[in-house]
Amino acid sequence: MQRPTVTASAEPVNLLGMDSAALAELVGQWGGKPFRARQLQRWIHQRGADSFDEMTDLARVFREQLAGHCAIKAPAVATEQRSTDGTRKWLFDVGRNNAVEAVFIPEDDRGTLCISSQAGCTVACPFCSTGYQGFNRNLTTAEIIGQLWYARRAIEADREHARIGEAGAAAAPDRVISNVVMMGMGEPLLNYDQVLGALRLMLDDNAYGLSRRRVTVSTSGVVPMMDRLGRDCPVALAVSLHAPNDALRDRLVPLNKKYPLAELLDACNRYLEHAPRDFITFEYIMLDGVNDSDQHAKELLDIARQVRCKFNLIPFNPFPQSGLTRSPATRVRLFAQRLMDGGVVTTVRKTRGDDIAAACGQLAGEVKDRTRISERLPDRAVITINQERG
Ligand code: SAH
Ligand code: SF4
């Protein structure tokens, strides 16, 4: 967490990533009481303020002090796209030719924002376009929460337009961000401290006030950090399983070589002691001829006997370098049926925002591959995965 020290010559301190304690400390330097910090926090996160003049219930002197030393700064938006199905996608410029994305998915009963935690990713799963970018850098708490801050303002502005224009009001349902999932670019548990700061703001009643059950961290299985998250800030957990045995998982999720399945499943059970939900969601990407056979489903049922879980089957979203294809819809349905017949609750993820490449694993496809990992490993997916087909 960024410390709030204010000095005469320093760059403006960005308040966006500060938790309530840091804001209280900052306000305290000017002799302000903690409730001033809470007011400030509500202005920033609940009302989406980006300047201090609009904070009219704060004393003028205090506003001037803030304006002299501080800023409220989310990453700049490079592009915004809207899908015909209502999905919205923002590409945020995080400097030095790096960009990350956030996607808003409206549904009848909820609005889910999917946000990123890193520019690129070190885990390098062969089915994921983020993995092909290599790793560029960790995002700061301000950059992570800034995606939520920005999206919320944009959605509120839409609602306001709809309220004013009657035709719009009829067309636009009541859209708010009720859920946040950390399923965008990057491995959140490999950027633990900054992600933790953002999670705490999501849950804080003076910021976004989201329920723990409606904030989900998705991880490829960073075992020690799953334990820390369970202790520090238990939220809903999704684990990217993708394979039912170590031999296949070593190839699909290379982190498995460091934290193999038995350790991962133990960590899931430890997490459940703290979790706000009484199950882990196992994400399972459906890759044609790779991990989608009846035998794989049978092996998954063994896993499901060891951990209280639900399965979310994800139709693979293809991209050119992967050399992989999506399992046919009939296979996905049959696979889901096998799991359900074995007593495991299973859902199949709907693909959203296809027309704007907003689906899982397609994020920021247009961003330059700075580390050129895809050139170094051009046939990685094809070579390793085809062995499974025979
Ligand atoms: N690094 C974390 C979170 C980001 S990835 C993790 O791996 O869990 C979020 C989800 O998108 C994961 O389940 C991942 O497997 C999935 N995903 C990645 N590439 C995909 C693709 N091309 N098609 C469909 N899902 C994909
Ligand atoms: Fe990283 Fe997740 Fe993509 Fe794997 S699936 S490369 S862990 S972002």
Side-chain angles (χ1 to χ4, degrees):
M1 183 67 56
Q2 212 178 333
R3 301 319 303 163
T5 318
V6 167
T7 59
S9 61
E11 283 274 295
V13 178
N14 190 4
L15 304 187
L16 199 58
M18 282 188 187
D19 63 11
S20 48
L23 281 179
E25 201 179 315
L26 176 103
V27 168
Q29 289 178 48
W30 294 314
K33 297 268 184 303
F35 84 92
R36 288 279 171 233
R38 288 196 290 275
Q39 263 180 311
L40 182 57
Q41 193 170 26
R42 286 198 293 268
W43 269 110
I44 297 169
H45 297 288
Q46 294 182 351
R47 301 172 79 165
D50 62 356
S51 76
F52 300 106
D53 334 324
E54 61 194 288
M55 302 180 180
T56 44
D57 58 352
L58 301 184
R60 197 169 47 81
V61 179
F62 179 38
R63 278 187 272 149
E64 282 167 7
Q65 282 164 327
L66 288 167
H69 302 285
C70 308
I72 302 162
K73 204 164 165 288
V77 171
T79 60
E80 173 177 349
Q81 287 171 281
R82 284 173 198 250
S83 158
T84 48
D85 69 10
T87 301
R88 292 175 73 171
K89 177 172 95 163
W90 296 273
L91 184 71
F92 292 93
D93 178 353
V94 292
R96 297 192 173 193
N97 216 9
N98 290 319
V100 297
E101 285 189 345
V103 177
F104 176 64
I105 305 154
E107 287 172 288
D108 290 342
D109 57 341
R110 68 189 138 182
T112 305
L113 184 73
C114 173
I115 60 173
S116 298
S117 56
Q118 299 180 310
C121 183
T122 50
V123 181
C125 304
F127 53 80
C128 174
S129 66
T130 305
Y132 275 85
Q133 277 182 41
F135 177 69
N136 299 318
R137 74 168 172 87
N138 282 327
L139 300 187
T140 63
T141 296
E143 288 167 332
I144 299 167
I145 207 70
Q147 298 166 59
L148 173 56
W149 180 87
Y150 188 92
R152 201 175 133 143
R153 267 169 53 118
I155 291 162
E156 284 296 318
D158 255 21
R159 274 154 52 91
E160 189 58 22
H161 275 123
R163 203 177 55 74
I164 297 165
E166 278 177 25
D174 210 21
R175 282 173 181 170
V176 289
I177 298 172
S178 58
N179 296 54
V180 175
V181 295
M182 303 220 58
M183 294 184 183
M185 298 168 66
E187 169 47 57
L189 297 188
L190 290 177
N191 182 15
Y192 186 79
D193 291 340
Q194 302 298 322
V195 165
L196 183 64
L199 292 175
R200 287 187 166 144
L201 282 170
M202 289 174 209
L203 303 180
D204 193 321
D205 283 338
N206 289 306
Y208 299 91
L210 294 171
S211 127
R212 288 180 188 281
R213 300 160 60 88
R214 288 173 172 269
V215 173
T216 302
V217 167
S218 173
T219 181
S220 54
V222 191
V223 165
M225 295 301 156
M226 288 166 64
D227 286 330
R228 277 185 68 185
L229 186 68
R231 287 194 299 269
D232 294 344
C233 188
V235 291
L237 189 69
V239 170
S240 291
L241 196 63
H242 304 319
N245 57 60
D246 282 322
L248 183 54
R249 197 165 189 273
D250 279 352
R251 304 210 304 266
L252 292 181
V253 186
L255 192 69
N256 193 69
K257 292 182 201 136
K258 194 160 179 194
Y259 305 115
L261 272 172
E263 283 182 37
L264 177 61
L265 301 183
D266 284 349
C268 288
N269 280 324
R270 290 193 297 276
Y271 193 86
L272 282 172
E273 291 168 19
H274 307 275
R277 292 183 179 270
D278 61 1
F279 60 90
I280 301 285
T281 302
F282 283 134
E283 297 166 277
Y284 196 89
I285 194 164
M286 297 297 293
L287 299 167
D288 188 22
V290 175
N291 64 353
D292 63 350
S293 72
D294 285 354
Q295 176 58 28
H296 292 124
K298 201 156 154 279
E299 288 177 60
L300 286 180
L301 289 175
D302 278 342
I303 287 180
R305 276 188 273 280
Q306 299 169 55
V307 178
R308 262 197 324 275
C309 63
K310 291 185 181 177
F311 269 83
N312 189 214
L313 304 182
I314 312 174
F316 168 60
N317 294 310
F319 58 99
Q321 306 99 309
S322 76
L324 296 163
T325 45
R326 181 188 286 188
S327 306
T330 48
R331 178 93 294 265
V332 176
R333 270 201 300 278
L334 205 64
F335 198 84
Q337 196 56 52
R338 295 270 180 270
L339 295 178
M340 286 190 286
D341 289 347
V344 181
V345 176
T346 304
T347 49
V348 178
R349 188 175 294 174
K350 275 189 275 170
T351 295
R352 299 286 304 260
D354 251 352
D355 52 336
I356 55 170
C360 309
Q362 294 181 317
L363 302 181
E366 59 270 55
V367 176
K368 217 162 125 193
D369 175 3
R370 297 186 70 237
T371 60
R372 305 210 177 270
I373 191 166
S374 54
E375 281 173 26
R376 277 188 279 125
L377 304 166
D379 295 316
R380 177 174 52 152
V382 182
I383 291 164
T384 54
I385 303 240
N386 277 350
Q387 292 166 1
E388 185 69 13
R389 289 175 191 260

